[in-house]
């Protein structure tokens, strides 16, 4: 079965709305693992807008399955990853003002830098995945840079406005996955996947893991609301 990695960044986004301790992304991660997910993903952004350094350390302590640290290739973040030693890192492009990761990493353009980061992580026995657009050029560059895993960006598929555009993007993901597997890469996929669009991607042969964040956190708020309100009414009574 295709594995599921849950990205818990937006639990921290809700916490940051008040700057306190709740909801705790580590507690949420434990529930995700309890529900059967295969890995926990968090993105330590350079601006620390949701996940903080302390969260990463606490997740490292608590997650006994796979911790996948999503990150840019900025020097200080790479150093933190070397100290925390997650099982896996996923390298992504990062812009300060974006709402979320926009597009895949340009492995062709930043080839040297990326190859050096992968080498550094290899020395620390940390596996590296590169988050890239479903394109042959980027897949070939990822392989050449020494990555063992790629994550295909499914954002264009998720955002497609017409069915024909959606099918075209799905086909791109399928063909990219097939090609990447044929040259020996492990293939994951993610971004923008939700309860309505995940099925077609999950059916693509050979994809190892889907990484999903926002839609799961959003759904958790909705399906948990009744219990949260009932508990509060109980206390008030
Ligand atoms: N994979 C990568 C590399 C990402 O950057 C993100 C967003 O942080 C995700 C998966 C999850 O995307 P979403 O929150 O849209 O499910």
């Amino acid at each position: 079965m295709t594995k599921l990695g849950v990205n818990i960044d937006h639990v921290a986004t809700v916490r940051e709305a008040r700057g306190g301790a709740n909801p705790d992304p580590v507690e949420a991660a434990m529930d995700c693992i309890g529900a059967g997910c295969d890995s926990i993903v968090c993105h330590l952004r350079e601006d620390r807008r949701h996940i903080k350094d302390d969260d990463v350390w606490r997740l490292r302590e608590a997650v006994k399955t796979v911790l996948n640290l999503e990150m840019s290739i900025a020097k200080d973040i790479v150093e933190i990853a070397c100290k925390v030693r997650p099982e896996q890192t996923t390298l992504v492009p990062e812009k300060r003002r974006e709402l979320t990761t926009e597009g895949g990493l340009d492995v062709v353009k930043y080839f040297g830098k990326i190859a050096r980061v992968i080498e550094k992580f290899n020395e620390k026995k940390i596996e590296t995945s590169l988050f890239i657009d479903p394109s042959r050029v980027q897949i070939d560059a990822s392989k050449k840079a020494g990555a063992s895993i790629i994550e295909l960006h499914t954002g264009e598929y998720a955002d497609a406005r017409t069915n024909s555009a959606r099918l075209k993007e799905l086909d791109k993901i399928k063909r990219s996955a097939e090609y990447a597997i044929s040259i020996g890469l492990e293939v994951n996929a993610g971004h923008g996947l939700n309860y309505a669009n995940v099925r077609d991607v999950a059916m693509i042969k050979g994809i190892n893991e889907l990484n999903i964040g926002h839609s799961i956190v959003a759904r958790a708020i909705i399906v948990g609301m009744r219990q949260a309100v009932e508990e509060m009414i109980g206390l008030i009574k």
Side-chain angles (χ1 to χ4, degrees), residues 192-199 212-220 223:
L193 296 178
N194 59 38
Y195 294 83
N197 66 19
V198 72
R199 198 179 301 247
I212 307 179
H214 185 268
S215 63
I216 292 178
V217 176
R219 178 98 180 120
V223 300

Side-chain angles (χ1 to χ4, degrees), residues 71-121:
M71 52 179 279
S72 73
I73 52 172
K75 201 166 168 255
D76 58 327
I77 303 279
V78 171
E79 271 162 24
I80 292 170
C82 284
K83 288 186 194 138
V84 172
R85 297 179 75 162
E87 282 73 22
Q88 189 185 319
T89 57
T90 298
L91 304 184
V92 299
E94 196 176 303
K95 295 188 208 112
R96 287 280 158 131
R97 281 163 59 208
E98 67 192 356
L99 278 179
T100 180
T101 314
E102 290 167 355
L105 195 62
D106 192 341
V107 190
V108 177
K109 188 169 173 187
Y110 299 106
F111 185 84
K113 262 191 184 168
I114 292 169
R116 281 192 293 280
V117 173
I118 295 174
E119 203 183 334
K120 205 164 181 180
F121 287 163

Side-chain angles (χ1 to χ4, degrees), residues 7 9-10 41 43 45 50 70 90-93 100-101 131 151-153 189-194 210-216:
N7 179 316
D9 291 350
H10 295 306
V41 190
H43 186 174
R45 294 187 72 100
H50 38 53
E70 206 183 303
T90 298
L91 304 184
V92 299
T100 180
T101 314
F131 181 57
E151 179 176 334
L152 295 173
H153 180 30
H191 208 280
L193 296 178
N194 59 38
L210 299 178
N211 290 323
I212 307 179
H214 185 268
S215 63
I216 292 178

